[in-house]
Amino acid sequence: MIVIIDLSKETTPSKYAKRKGVTVAAVTNWIARDQIKYRHIEELGLTLVEIDSEEEKIKERRRRIIESFLREEENGLLDIEKGEGGSK
């Protein structure tokens, strides 16, 4: 049996998690819920995920989390500039 893996199109869940800045558990959950394209190669005991194939709702949720974090950071910096933040 010959298995061809195009590393520009698919990777392991662990490497994909690192690439996306999420946990391996998150990628595993996406696989379990069929929210990301993947294939399992039984003979190798290997699961591969297709790069950037997660559903749009996952991308949108991650986008909202990042935007929220950036707003909090920006607000924190504004508070510090006004002298309202920091430790006493």
Side-chain angles (χ1 to χ4, degrees), residues 3 9-10 15 25 29 32 38 52 55 63 65 72 78 85:
V3 177
K9 295 182 180 178
E10 56 189 358
K15 287 185 180 178
N29 286 335
Y38 70 96
D52 294 328
E55 290 182 354
R63 195 174 299 121
I65 290 168
E72 287 177 16
L78 290 175

Side-chain angles (χ1 to χ4, degrees), residues 22-34:
V22 298
T23 64
V24 176
V27 176
T28 302
N29 286 335
W30 298 344
I31 292 169
R33 296 180 187 134
D34 284 328

Side-chain angles (χ1 to χ4, degrees), residues 2 6 19-22 31-33 39-42 46 50-51 59 62-63 65 69-70 79 82-83 86:
I2 297 174
D6 184 348
R19 175 187 180 125
K20 290 296 181 175
V22 298
I31 292 169
R33 296 180 187 134
R39 70 176 170 142
H40 184 73
I41 304 169
E42 189 68 39
L46 179 66
E50 187 177 314
I51 295 173
K59 293 177 185 178
R62 198 166 54 243
R63 195 174 299 121
I65 290 168
F69 174 77
L70 291 174
D79 291 344
K82 292 178 184 176

